[in-house]
Structures are given as C-alpha cells and as structure tokens.
C-alpha cells in the first residue's frame, strides 16, 4: 500500500501560534516520511520540552514526548534496541543546546544511525521569550529587559566537533528544501544533525520571516529585496568528505560557512562523512548477531511475565578478581 501524506497526520489539535515556523518543520518531516515511504510502525519521533516538544503529537507514527534536554538519550536507546526503526529526535535550541548540550556532545561520539532536528528560533518560546543559547550577543528581543549578555552557541560548529557525520541547516519557510534535507539525513548511515532556522512570530521580533526574506536588505540598484538565505548546493561548496586526507580542510570549510550571518546565511548540507562506522556497526563487531537479534526481538519473560533471562555467564565474564 502506498502511503499518502494524510497517513502521517493526526487529528490532534495544534495550538502553535499563527505564523510559527514549527508548522513548516512539521510539514517537512511528514513529507519526507511520505517520500521515503517509511512504514508508520517503523518510525519513532522523540521530543524534549518546549513548543517543538509537541511535534510527536501531530505525526501518526510512534511518538515519545520526553524530558527537558534528554531527548537524545531516549532516542538513542530506542534505536539501539530496535535498529529497524527510523528514529528522529526533535527539540528546540534551548532544549538541545542549553540543558541538553552535554548529551549532544556525547551522542556525536557514538554516531548512532538516526536524525536530530533542532528548531532554532533563538528564544525560549514556551516560557515567554527568554534568550536561548543561539541568540546573538547584544540582541534585545521584545521579552528582554536588557540586551542579551551572553555570546551565542554555533550549532553547526558544535555538532561538527562533537562528531556528527551529517550536518545541515534548513529554513522552516522553505518547506520543500527542508524536506529534501530531512530525507538526506534519514538516508545517511550515521548520526545526522539539522539546524532549522525557525522564526518565532510571538517573541523574536528581530529574526522574523520578513527579516529572512530581506525586507530591510534591499538592492540599491534594483530596489528589490535580497533574501538572506542562500542554498549551498547552488554554489561551488562541497561538504562531502571524499577521502579522509581531506578531513581537516573540510572541517575548516564547515566552520567558515557556519559563521556566515547577517545579509548572507547559508542553508543546505554543510558536512557529510561516510568514513566513520556507525555505532550499530561497532556493536556488531563485538556481538556478531546484534542486527539479527537486537534487544527488541529477544524474549525476556515467559507467558506469566516471569523473567527467563540468565545473565550469570555475562556476570562471570565481567567479574574482577583481586590477586
């Protein structure tokens, strides 16, 4: 049976603010799952806390609404338990780059085959617009009494040095381009990170939809607005690591592009490295039948729910003797 876009939608009432960029990200995720024809029972969407945390409620797959900043441990655990699942973790920039930043760094070291999407609007929208980790130093949005006193986190650079093997950036109002990025991230065999620029029409009155469209960035010769976002694939930029000898050069290029801001903001694929084994491959090198007999397929109790697992051999193997 061919799955349609409507199959990936639920009837749960969506109470995001009108004009919120989250709608575009939600649509892009649903469109990507449809394009890839991911079976509903083989996809799982995990979220943290915040406006973006509601995303699993609106996608007709398995959905797990977890704790603030802890979405990655939950999502990684599910993927390693059942490698057949297509796992997407989603969360806001505050959720993932603030309280959850330590988990992001640890996840990069593992390279589990899944996708992490950050909804980046530079504010804590659910709790009335406080400065989030991606808000630039000195910016004053409508909810702040004074300009932001902290420097901002660079999500692309942080994901890169943490070890993510696919890194991209999308824009929530360019839904089709974002859909293609999500599809590429899902197909990538390893840990993928997507930073999605997402205007918050309620609390971020600086990085608005009109700002991204270039309402204040006019060509003096033509009088036309110059959109701030541009697509990397329409330039000569190549973020793919074709051979490991080029790794340092490619990583340097990613850092340079990730620091572009203001009148020119790149979106697209910043980095792709297929030379690093996934965590599933690393486990298989030690447990030969891991992919054929993952934890999710193993019977651990009888019909009366009594445990039947015998771990005495494992405990004996791990025992440390004092000599």
């Amino acid at each position: 049976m061919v799955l349609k876009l409507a199959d990936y939608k639920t009837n749960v009432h969506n109470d995001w603010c009108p004009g919120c960029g989250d709608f575009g990200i939600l649509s892009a995720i649903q469109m990507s799952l449809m394009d890839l024809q991911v079976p509903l029972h083989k996809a799982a969407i995990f979220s943290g806390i915040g406006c973006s945390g509601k995303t699993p409620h609106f996608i007709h797959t398995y959905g797990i609404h977890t704790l603030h900043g802890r979405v990655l441990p939950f999502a990684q655990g599910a993927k390693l338990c059942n490698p057949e699942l297509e796992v997407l973790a989603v969360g806001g920039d505050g959720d993932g780059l603030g309280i959850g930043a330590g988990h992001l760094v640890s996840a990069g070291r593992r390279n589990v085959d899944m996708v992490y999407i950050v909804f980046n609007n530079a504010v804590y929208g659910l709790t009335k617009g406080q400065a989030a980790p991606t808000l630039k130093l000195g910016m004053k949005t409508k909810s702040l009494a004074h300009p932001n006193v902290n420097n901002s986190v660079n999500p692309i650079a942080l994901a890169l040095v943490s070890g993510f093997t696919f890194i991209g950036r999308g824009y929530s109002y360019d839904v089709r381009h974002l859909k293609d990025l999500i599809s590429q991230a899902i197909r990538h065999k390893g840990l993928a990170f997507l930073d999605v620029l997402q205007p918050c029409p309620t609390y971020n009155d600086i990085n608005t939809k009109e700002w991204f469209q270039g309402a204040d960035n006019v060509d003096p010769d033509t009088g036309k607005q110059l959109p701030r976002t541009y697509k990397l694939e329409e330039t000569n930029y190549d973020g793919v690591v074709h051979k490991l000898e080029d790794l340092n050069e490619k990583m340097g290029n990613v850092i340079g592009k990730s620091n572009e801001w203001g009148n020119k903001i790149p979106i697209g694929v910043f980095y792709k490295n297929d030379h690093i084994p996934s965590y599933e491959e690393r486990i298989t090198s030690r447990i030969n039948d891991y992919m054929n007999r993952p934890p999710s397929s193993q019977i651990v109790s009888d019909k009366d729910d009594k445990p039947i697992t015998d771990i005495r051999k494992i405990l004996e193997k791990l025992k440390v003797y004092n000599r």
Side-chain angles (χ1 to χ4, degrees):
M1 181 184 74
V2 176
L3 293 167
K4 300 178 181 178
L5 185 59
D7 295 321
Y8 294 94
K9 298 181 179 182
T10 70
N11 293 323
V12 177
H13 172 67
N14 191 324
D15 60 356
W16 286 332
C17 300
C20 177
D22 286 359
F23 286 101
I25 304 175
L26 171 63
S27 295
I29 293 173
Q30 293 166 329
M31 291 165 64
S32 175
L33 294 174
M34 181 200 67
D35 279 0
L36 297 176
Q37 286 294 290
V38 178
L40 302 180
H41 68 288
K42 287 195 173 183
I45 314 296
F46 291 77
S47 71
I49 298 301
C51 298
S52 60
K54 302 175 184 179
T55 304
H57 299 256
F58 311 133
I59 303 176
H60 191 208
T61 62
Y62 289 116
I64 301 89
H65 196 157
T66 73
L67 306 176
H68 196 196
R70 315 299 180 217
V71 63
L72 284 174
F74 280 93
Q76 289 174 99
K79 179 66 179 184
L80 294 177
C81 183
N82 185 358
E84 290 188 356
L85 280 178
E86 290 292 355
V87 172
L88 279 74
V90 302
D93 50 320
D95 188 81
L97 303 174
I99 187 173
H103 291 303
L104 183 143
V105 174
S106 295
R109 297 170 54 221
R110 300 186 184 97
N111 197 34
V112 176
D113 184 18
M114 53 170 277
V115 181
Y116 181 36
I117 303 174
V118 168
F119 295 39
N120 183 355
N121 59 19
V123 295
Y124 286 92
L126 192 67
T127 51
K128 312 310 179 190
Q130 299 92 332
T134 53
L135 188 68
K136 303 297 182 184
L137 175 64
M139 288 182 61
K140 183 184 180 303
T141 55
K142 63 191 297 184
S143 290
L144 300 182
H146 304 284
N148 181 30
V149 72
N150 293 315
N151 208 343
S152 59
V153 171
N154 182 331
I156 301 293
L158 181 59
L160 176 71
V161 298
S162 298
F164 284 71
T165 50
F166 181 101
I167 301 171
R169 177 193 282 153
Y171 175 50
S172 63
Y173 279 98
D174 193 340
V175 177
R176 292 194 178 279
H177 181 259
L178 178 57
K179 179 263 295 183
D180 291 339
L181 279 177
I182 295 173
S183 295
Q184 291 181 65
I186 292 174
R187 287 194 293 262
H188 173 71
K189 296 303 177 184
L191 185 58
F193 175 84
L194 289 178
D195 173 37
V196 184
L197 304 174
Q198 174 256 310
C200 174
T202 303
Y203 293 111
N204 188 336
D205 55 344
I206 298 174
N207 305 128
T208 62
K209 177 183 178 182
E210 292 74 22
W211 183 84
F212 280 107
Q213 289 174 334
D216 63 335
N217 189 32
V218 178
D219 186 326
D221 296 325
T222 65
K224 293 183 178 180
Q225 294 182 7
L226 298 175
R228 284 183 158 83
T229 59
Y230 72 93
K231 298 180 176 63
L232 287 172
E233 59 268 29
E234 295 177 356
T235 70
N236 61 359
Y237 179 85
D238 179 13
V240 178
V241 179
H242 299 284
K243 51 185 180 180
L244 286 176
E245 291 81 1
D246 299 333
L247 181 61
N248 288 339
E249 178 185 355
K250 294 290 185 178
M251 291 182 71
N253 293 340
V254 173
I255 299 295
K257 281 295 176 185
S258 70
N259 282 322
E260 289 187 13
W261 193 256
N263 290 339
K264 299 290 288 183
I265 303 172
I267 60 176
V269 178
F270 283 69
Y271 181 76
K272 187 175 188 294
N273 186 349
D274 291 321
H275 300 282
I276 308 299
S278 69
Y279 204 63
E280 292 86 338
E281 291 172 319
R282 300 176 203 178
I283 293 176
T284 303
S285 70
R286 298 189 181 187
I287 306 173
N288 294 332
D289 62 345
Y290 165 66
M291 293 299 290
N292 296 323
R293 295 186 66 250
S296 62
S297 69
Q298 296 181 28
I299 299 174
V300 296
S301 62
D302 60 21
K303 62 181 181 179
D304 297 319
D305 291 330
K306 294 181 179 179
I308 61 174
T309 304
D310 186 350
I311 63 172
R312 285 176 293 182
K313 290 183 179 180
I314 297 175
L315 294 177
E316 185 64 30
K317 186 177 180 180
L318 296 175
K319 187 180 292 184
V320 176
Y321 295 91
N322 293 321
R323 302 188 186 280

